Amino acid sequence: MRPWNPPAPVKVAARFPIRFAVALALACTIAALAAVPSGAASHEHGDALGDSQGRLDLAGASFTQDGPTLTITIRTAHPIPAGARPGGSRGTLCVNVAWGSPDVVRRRLCVIGRGGAWLLHDNVISPTSGRITARHTRHRIVRQAGSRLTISAAPALLGLPIGLVHFNVRSTWNRGAACAATPPPDDGTATGAASTEGCPDALPDRGTFSARVWRAVAAGCTPGRGQVSNGPRGRKVVALTFDDGPSTYTPGILRTLSSLHARATFFQIGQQIPGQGAIERQILAAGNAIGNHTWSHASVAGGGSFARGQLSRTSSQIISTTGGYHPCVFRPPYGATSGALVSVSGALGMTSVIWDVDTNDWQLPGTAAVISRAVGGTRPGSIVLMHDGGGPRAGTAAAVGPIVRQLRAKGYSFVTVPELLGLGTRWRLSKS
Ligand code: ZN
């Protein structure tokens, strides 16, 4: 156990000096600790200016989660010039993170200015020895604008758990008259969080501030319209799609996708959804998308009120079973489409989605054929048609892993259809 401060003598609220407590009361956004139904939460803390003589005098910090992205913002009293960037012997600027016990640091995120770029040293700290046991160098997640530094990433990339975490920002500055005669610490070897070397600053001055890391669950996407057969061809991304579920094959396909960190889109038949809430939530929790595939797999190419009824009933079922996910993509059964149908789906906020790679897996050609058709047919921006329902789908289920591995080896990454089409995802933050 290696506390970053002497143990607090009394309860948490009393650990902070009065000045900080006032700032906390004024600035702390209650939303961060309450149940948050919307997709964003934030927590803001200030620090007195001039309490450090160094160039890295801290002015404030905030902790914000917007959907799946966590942003830690650190404000300094003065803009950080290129010559005063932390890292190496000039100084350090790190965020200590604890969970479980607020006194035990488990992660130390240090921003490093190197050349013209910023990077993050994500140090894994042993909770028993306090020593660094591993370090991951992350690029392109630290940004600076004047006196504002941000670290933006998915919580999992920073190694943070879902739940309550405790933060503490520390800086030291080792140059200039007031701070010069001090040994240069290195962010990688300093194990104690509180440095007495150089000109230090801390935020909060003592103890930690707390914030919650939420699980981001997709709540829907930006309404779409029109019809597409593929996405933009400029990037090596592909959207795998599965029609005619949910079915008994869906959980196995989900497990395969999750184990490979790949996402897909499930175009579902409305009448099969009641009672499948667990599968629906699992689909969304893993970052996949749900699309509308009519209520009874009817041909709705004639448009009009029949199509409208089939589509709106299915969207309502998806919304009620998932607890609020509004689909923004629709796939016409049999690919049977028309201008009249596209206007019906558009009026309901959904882009009609065909495909440009057909595995014809419903004809049961065998796993090898499904794999070779999916992998061989895919181009940048492709939409691949497969089925997780409507018949025996073991062959398709067995093909999913090889398809993902082979396309990934060719440089493809996997996106949902809403992502492929640039239809932004709306998020809900969940406590667990
Ligand atoms: Zn179908």
Side-chain angles (χ1 to χ4, degrees):
M1 303 281 281
R2 191 167 194 110
W4 56 28
N5 268 326
V10 283
K11 65 187 186 209
V12 172
R15 293 163 90 177
F16 304 112
I18 298 297
R19 182 188 67 219
F20 185 76
V22 170
L24 177 74
L26 290 175
C28 175
T29 307
I30 298 303
L33 294 172
V36 176
S38 70
S42 90
H43 219 167
E44 177 83 37
H45 294 269
D47 188 51
L49 301 184
D51 62 344
S52 169
Q53 300 302 306
R55 299 291 291 272
L56 298 175
D57 183 13
L58 299 171
S62 69
F63 177 96
T64 304
Q65 187 168 349
D66 188 1
T69 305
L70 185 69
T71 299
I72 301 168
T73 302
I74 302 165
R75 288 179 291 110
T76 49
H78 310 286
I80 302 175
R85 287 181 170 181
S89 63
R90 287 172 298 231
T92 60
L93 182 53
C94 300
V95 182
N96 294 308
V97 190
W99 58 89
S101 164
D103 292 328
V104 182
V105 179
R106 294 168 186 266
R107 219 76 180 189
R108 181 167 300 132
L109 310 174
C110 296
V111 296
I112 309 288
R114 187 161 292 169
W118 289 91
L119 52 86
L120 185 81
H121 279 174
D122 172 6
N123 300 297
V124 180
I125 312 292
S126 161
T128 49
S129 71
R131 297 199 166 275
I132 294 170
T133 56
R135 172 184 290 170
H136 311 288
T137 300
R138 310 286 186 196
H139 299 270
R140 291 183 295 279
I141 65 174
V142 178
R143 290 193 167 73
Q144 182 212 1
S147 54
R148 181 179 296 263
L149 265 170
T150 60
I151 303 167
S152 258
L157 186 77
L158 300 175
L160 306 188
I162 303 296
L164 204 60
V165 292
H166 312 279
F167 284 81
N168 171 304
V169 184
R170 296 293 173 122
S171 70
T172 56
W173 183 244
N174 305 303
R175 299 286 177 89
C179 317
T182 56
D186 177 78
D187 76 278
T189 56
T191 52
S195 173
T196 55
E197 299 150 345
C199 287
D201 199 6
L203 194 172
D205 292 325
R206 292 178 67 79
T208 60
F209 59 82
S210 300
R212 183 171 289 281
V213 178
W214 302 86
R215 185 181 305 285
V217 179
C221 36
T222 312
R225 57 203 308 274
Q227 179 165 290
V228 300
S229 300
N230 56 268
R233 296 294 193 188
R235 283 199 308 141
K236 265 194 155 179
V237 294
V238 57
L240 303 181
T241 66
F242 296 92
D243 288 10
D244 301 352
S247 83
T248 53
Y249 296 97
T250 312
I253 291 172
L254 285 172
R255 275 195 298 277
T256 302
L257 290 168
S258 286
S259 69
L260 294 170
H261 304 287
R263 297 196 295 278
T265 304
F266 293 82
F267 288 98
Q268 298 186 324
I269 298 171
Q271 65 184 8
Q272 295 172 200
I273 297 173
Q276 302 299 329
I279 291 180
E280 302 297 274
R281 284 189 291 277
Q282 205 183 330
I283 288 173
L284 297 177
N288 303 291
I290 296 175
N292 183 319
H293 196 43
T294 74
W295 182 256
S296 60
H297 209 264
S299 174
V300 286
S305 60
F306 177 69
R308 194 157 44 247
Q310 282 273 332
L311 271 60
S312 61
R313 190 176 178 191
T314 303
S315 285
S316 297
Q317 185 67 55
I318 292 169
I319 292 165
S320 67
T321 303
T322 59
Y325 181 88
H326 293 244
C328 64
V329 286
F330 157 71
R331 172 163 285 158
Y334 317 104
T337 185
S338 67
L341 178 57
V342 172
S343 63
V344 166
S345 64
L348 294 170
M350 294 184 286
T351 299
S352 177
V353 177
I354 315 297
W355 54 84
D356 66 335
V357 179
D358 191 349
T359 62
N360 280 305
D361 61 334
W362 59 276
Q363 294 175 328
L364 311 181
T367 299
V370 175
I371 296 167
S372 72
R373 288 169 186 173
V375 175
T378 292
R379 301 163 52 198
S382 279
I383 297 173
V384 181
L385 173 63
M386 290 181 277
H387 294 80
D388 65 327
R393 300 297 174 230
T396 299
V400 173
I403 289 169
V404 170
R405 282 189 284 266
Q406 290 180 29
L407 284 174
R408 188 167 275 157
K410 289 179 149 194
Y412 283 92
S413 54
F414 299 84
V415 293
T416 65
V417 173
E419 286 173 313
L420 182 73
L421 303 180
L423 302 173
T425 303
R426 292 186 296 104
W427 299 92
R428 182 167 57 81
L429 298 182
S430 162
K431 260 191 173 177
S432 57

